[in-house]
Short mmCIF file of all heavy atoms in Angstrom, two decimals:
data_model
loop_
_atom_site.label_atom_id
_atom_site.label_comp_id
_atom_site.label_asym_id
_atom_site.label_seq_id
_atom_site.Cartn_x
_atom_site.Cartn_y
_atom_site.Cartn_z
N MET A 128 45.05 23.10 108.59
CA MET A 128 46.44 23.54 108.85
C MET A 128 46.94 24.37 107.67
O MET A 128 46.64 24.13 106.47
CB MET A 128 47.26 22.19 108.93
CG MET A 128 47.02 21.39 110.08
SD MET A 128 48.17 20.11 110.18
CE MET A 128 47.54 18.88 108.99
N ASN A 129 47.59 25.43 108.02
CA ASN A 129 48.08 26.27 107.00
C ASN A 129 49.41 25.63 106.37
O ASN A 129 49.89 24.54 106.88
CB ASN A 129 48.41 27.73 107.51
CG ASN A 129 49.45 27.69 108.70
OD1 ASN A 129 50.42 26.89 108.61
ND2 ASN A 129 49.16 28.55 109.64
N PHE A 130 49.95 26.26 105.32
CA PHE A 130 51.09 25.70 104.61
C PHE A 130 52.31 25.54 105.58
O PHE A 130 53.02 24.44 105.57
CB PHE A 130 51.43 26.62 103.35
CG PHE A 130 52.62 26.03 102.65
CD1 PHE A 130 52.50 24.91 101.85
CD2 PHE A 130 53.77 26.66 102.67
CE1 PHE A 130 53.52 24.39 101.06
CE2 PHE A 130 54.84 26.30 101.87
CZ PHE A 130 54.72 25.10 101.06
N LYS A 131 52.59 26.42 106.27
CA LYS A 131 53.80 26.52 107.23
C LYS A 131 53.57 25.26 108.23
O LYS A 131 54.56 24.53 108.53
CB LYS A 131 53.90 27.71 108.00
CG LYS A 131 55.13 27.78 108.85
CD LYS A 131 55.28 29.16 109.57
CE LYS A 131 56.55 29.26 110.40
NZ LYS A 131 56.62 30.70 111.06
N THR A 132 52.38 25.05 108.77
CA THR A 132 52.15 23.94 109.68
C THR A 132 52.22 22.62 109.02
O THR A 132 52.87 21.68 109.58
CB THR A 132 50.76 24.11 110.27
OG1 THR A 132 50.49 25.39 111.04
CG2 THR A 132 50.45 22.93 111.24
N VAL A 133 51.80 22.56 107.77
CA VAL A 133 51.92 21.22 107.02
C VAL A 133 53.43 20.87 106.88
O VAL A 133 53.85 19.78 106.98
CB VAL A 133 51.17 21.32 105.73
CG1 VAL A 133 51.48 20.09 104.88
CG2 VAL A 133 49.74 21.43 105.92
N LEU A 134 54.19 21.99 106.49
CA LEU A 134 55.62 21.70 106.36
C LEU A 134 56.30 21.13 107.62
O LEU A 134 57.11 20.28 107.53
CB LEU A 134 56.27 23.00 105.82
CG LEU A 134 56.15 23.39 104.37
CD1 LEU A 134 56.93 24.70 104.03
CD2 LEU A 134 56.70 22.27 103.45
N ALA A 135 55.91 21.77 108.62
CA ALA A 135 56.45 21.43 110.05
C ALA A 135 56.09 20.03 110.33
O ALA A 135 56.93 19.28 110.80
CB ALA A 135 55.97 22.45 111.08
N LYS A 136 54.81 19.58 110.02
CA LYS A 136 54.30 18.33 110.33
C LYS A 136 55.08 17.29 109.52
O LYS A 136 55.46 16.17 109.94
CB LYS A 136 52.87 18.17 110.17
CG LYS A 136 52.02 18.93 111.17
CD LYS A 136 52.14 18.49 112.56
CE LYS A 136 51.32 19.37 113.48
NZ LYS A 136 51.45 18.80 114.91
N ASN A 137 55.35 17.54 108.27
CA ASN A 137 56.00 16.66 107.46
C ASN A 137 57.56 16.53 107.88
O ASN A 137 58.08 15.42 107.90
CB ASN A 137 56.02 17.09 106.02
CG ASN A 137 54.70 16.73 105.33
OD1 ASN A 137 54.50 15.59 104.87
ND2 ASN A 137 53.72 17.47 105.25
N TYR A 138 58.19 17.67 108.37
CA TYR A 138 59.54 17.62 108.64
C TYR A 138 59.76 16.67 109.96
O TYR A 138 60.67 16.01 110.08
CB TYR A 138 59.86 19.06 109.04
CG TYR A 138 61.36 19.25 109.67
CD1 TYR A 138 62.48 19.04 108.76
CD2 TYR A 138 61.52 19.40 110.98
CE1 TYR A 138 63.77 19.10 109.28
CE2 TYR A 138 62.86 19.53 111.48
CZ TYR A 138 63.97 19.33 110.64
OH TYR A 138 65.18 19.46 111.17
N VAL A 139 58.73 16.73 110.98
CA VAL A 139 58.76 16.03 112.16
C VAL A 139 58.65 14.54 111.82
O VAL A 139 59.38 13.68 112.49
CB VAL A 139 57.67 16.44 113.04
CG1 VAL A 139 57.51 15.34 114.13
CG2 VAL A 139 58.03 17.66 113.78
N ASN A 140 57.98 14.19 110.71
CA ASN A 140 57.65 12.90 110.36
C ASN A 140 58.61 12.17 109.45
O ASN A 140 58.71 10.83 109.35
CB ASN A 140 56.29 12.64 109.87
CG ASN A 140 55.36 12.77 111.05
OD1 ASN A 140 55.16 11.91 111.91
ND2 ASN A 140 54.54 13.93 111.04
N PHE A 141 59.33 12.77 108.51
CA PHE A 141 60.02 12.21 107.40
C PHE A 141 61.30 11.51 107.92
O PHE A 141 61.87 10.71 107.21
CB PHE A 141 60.19 13.05 106.20
CG PHE A 141 61.48 13.91 106.24
CD1 PHE A 141 62.64 13.36 105.66
CD2 PHE A 141 61.53 15.15 106.85
CE1 PHE A 141 63.77 14.16 105.72
CE2 PHE A 141 62.63 15.89 106.93
CZ PHE A 141 63.75 15.38 106.31
N ARG A 142 61.85 12.07 109.05
CA ARG A 142 63.18 11.64 109.43
C ARG A 142 63.17 10.44 110.27
O ARG A 142 62.31 10.22 111.06
CB ARG A 142 63.93 12.84 110.18
CG ARG A 142 64.12 14.01 109.38
CD ARG A 142 64.77 15.15 110.09
NE ARG A 142 66.05 14.80 110.66
CZ ARG A 142 66.91 15.55 111.26
NH1 ARG A 142 66.48 17.02 111.31
NH2 ARG A 142 68.07 15.32 111.90
N ASN A 396 66.53 18.88 119.89
CA ASN A 396 65.61 18.12 119.13
C ASN A 396 66.15 16.75 118.72
O ASN A 396 67.29 16.65 118.41
CB ASN A 396 65.39 18.79 117.72
CG ASN A 396 63.97 18.93 117.43
OD1 ASN A 396 63.11 18.36 117.97
ND2 ASN A 396 63.63 19.88 116.46
N ARG A 397 65.21 15.71 118.90
CA ARG A 397 65.70 14.36 118.58
C ARG A 397 64.48 13.83 117.70
O ARG A 397 63.45 14.27 117.96
CB ARG A 397 65.93 13.48 119.72
CG ARG A 397 67.40 13.82 120.36
CD ARG A 397 67.68 12.65 121.38
NE ARG A 397 69.04 12.77 121.88
CZ ARG A 397 69.30 13.47 123.03
NH1 ARG A 397 68.35 13.91 123.70
NH2 ARG A 397 70.54 13.46 123.49
N PHE A 398 64.79 12.86 116.86
CA PHE A 398 63.84 12.36 115.92
C PHE A 398 63.68 10.87 116.14
O PHE A 398 64.34 10.16 117.01
CB PHE A 398 64.20 12.72 114.55
CG PHE A 398 64.06 14.26 114.17
CD1 PHE A 398 65.14 15.04 114.47
CD2 PHE A 398 62.87 14.73 113.85
CE1 PHE A 398 65.03 16.42 114.25
CE2 PHE A 398 62.75 16.05 113.58
CZ PHE A 398 63.84 16.85 113.79
N TRP A 399 62.79 10.25 115.23
CA TRP A 399 62.39 8.87 115.33
C TRP A 399 63.60 7.90 115.35
O TRP A 399 64.40 7.80 114.46
CB TRP A 399 61.40 8.56 114.30
CG TRP A 399 60.10 9.16 114.46
CD1 TRP A 399 59.78 10.38 113.94
CD2 TRP A 399 59.02 8.65 115.05
NE1 TRP A 399 58.44 10.64 114.22
CE2 TRP A 399 57.93 9.64 115.03
CE3 TRP A 399 58.72 7.48 115.82
CZ2 TRP A 399 56.61 9.41 115.62
CZ3 TRP A 399 57.52 7.26 116.31
CH2 TRP A 399 56.52 8.14 116.19
N ARG A 411 58.58 10.91 118.49
CA ARG A 411 57.96 12.05 118.50
C ARG A 411 56.43 11.99 118.80
O ARG A 411 55.79 11.07 118.31
CB ARG A 411 58.18 12.84 117.22
CG ARG A 411 59.58 13.11 116.96
CD ARG A 411 60.38 14.03 117.91
NE ARG A 411 59.74 15.34 117.92
CZ ARG A 411 60.43 16.38 117.48
NH1 ARG A 411 61.65 16.38 117.06
NH2 ARG A 411 59.74 17.61 117.55
N ARG A 412 55.91 13.02 119.40
CA ARG A 412 54.40 13.16 119.35
C ARG A 412 54.04 13.99 118.15
O ARG A 412 54.62 15.03 117.94
CB ARG A 412 53.79 13.81 120.57
CG ARG A 412 54.03 12.95 121.89
CD ARG A 412 53.44 13.73 123.06
NE ARG A 412 53.82 12.89 124.27
CZ ARG A 412 53.44 13.36 125.50
NH1 ARG A 412 52.84 14.48 125.76
NH2 ARG A 412 53.80 12.53 126.52
N ASN A 413 53.26 13.46 117.27
CA ASN A 413 53.06 13.98 115.91
C ASN A 413 51.61 14.40 115.63
O ASN A 413 51.23 14.71 114.45
CB ASN A 413 53.68 13.14 114.84
CG ASN A 413 53.15 11.73 114.91
OD1 ASN A 413 52.26 11.41 115.66
ND2 ASN A 413 53.83 10.85 114.08
N ALA A 414 50.70 14.28 116.60
CA ALA A 414 49.34 14.72 116.41
C ALA A 414 48.80 15.24 117.79
O ALA A 414 49.37 14.85 118.81
CB ALA A 414 48.48 13.46 115.93
N LYS A 432 44.11 14.60 109.88
CA LYS A 432 45.11 15.16 108.93
C LYS A 432 46.55 14.86 109.42
O LYS A 432 47.39 14.41 108.63
CB LYS A 432 44.86 16.59 108.73
CG LYS A 432 43.60 16.95 107.91
CD LYS A 432 43.49 18.48 107.70
CE LYS A 432 42.24 18.76 106.86
NZ LYS A 432 42.01 20.28 106.69
N GLU A 433 46.73 15.01 110.75
CA GLU A 433 48.03 14.70 111.33
C GLU A 433 48.38 13.31 111.21
O GLU A 433 49.61 12.88 110.93
CB GLU A 433 48.07 15.29 112.72
CG GLU A 433 48.10 16.82 112.86
CD GLU A 433 48.03 17.38 114.15
OE1 GLU A 433 47.24 16.73 114.96
OE2 GLU A 433 48.69 18.27 114.55
N ILE A 436 49.44 12.28 107.72
CA ILE A 436 50.89 12.84 107.38
C ILE A 436 51.80 11.63 108.05
O ILE A 436 52.82 11.31 107.37
CB ILE A 436 51.12 14.12 107.98
CG1 ILE A 436 50.31 15.21 107.10
CG2 ILE A 436 52.62 14.51 107.94
CD1 ILE A 436 50.38 16.59 107.67
N ALA A 437 51.53 11.37 109.41
CA ALA A 437 52.40 10.39 110.00
C ALA A 437 52.41 9.10 109.12
O ALA A 437 53.48 8.55 108.94
CB ALA A 437 51.90 10.09 111.35
N ARG A 439 51.82 8.51 106.09
CA ARG A 439 52.47 8.79 104.78
C ARG A 439 53.97 8.54 104.95
O ARG A 439 54.60 7.96 103.93
CB ARG A 439 52.19 10.21 104.35
CG ARG A 439 52.78 10.58 102.97
CD ARG A 439 52.62 12.10 102.57
NE ARG A 439 51.14 12.38 102.72
CZ ARG A 439 50.84 13.60 103.09
NH1 ARG A 439 51.65 14.52 103.41
NH2 ARG A 439 49.39 13.86 103.15
N TRP A 440 54.61 8.93 105.92
CA TRP A 440 55.98 8.78 106.19
C TRP A 440 56.34 7.49 106.93
O TRP A 440 57.50 7.31 107.37
CB TRP A 440 56.61 9.97 106.84
CG TRP A 440 56.57 11.21 106.10
CD1 TRP A 440 55.69 12.32 106.22
CD2 TRP A 440 57.34 11.59 104.95
NE1 TRP A 440 55.84 13.24 105.29
CE2 TRP A 440 56.88 12.85 104.45
CE3 TRP A 440 58.38 10.91 104.31
CZ2 TRP A 440 57.52 13.50 103.42
CZ3 TRP A 440 59.04 11.53 103.25
CH2 TRP A 440 58.53 12.79 102.69
N LYS A 442 55.28 6.50 109.94
CA LYS A 442 55.50 6.70 111.37
C LYS A 442 54.18 6.36 112.13
O LYS A 442 53.08 6.49 111.58
CB LYS A 442 55.87 8.17 111.65
CG LYS A 442 57.16 8.69 110.88
CD LYS A 442 58.35 7.82 111.49
CE LYS A 442 59.64 8.51 111.01
NZ LYS A 442 59.89 8.46 109.45
#
Side-chain angles (χ1 to χ4, degrees):
M128 290 186 287
N129 58 38
F130 181 70
K131 185 177 180 180
T132 300
V133 171
L134 282 179
K136 294 293 179 182
N137 279 276
Y138 177 74
V139 165
N140 283 289
F141 89 93
R142 297 178 56 169
N396 229 344
R397 285 190 173 94
F398 293 88
W399 290 88
R411 302 298 295 248
R412 294 182 185 177
N413 52 11
K432 289 179 179 178
E433 291 174 317
I436 293 172
R439 181 186 305 150
W440 294 105
K442 300 298 189 293

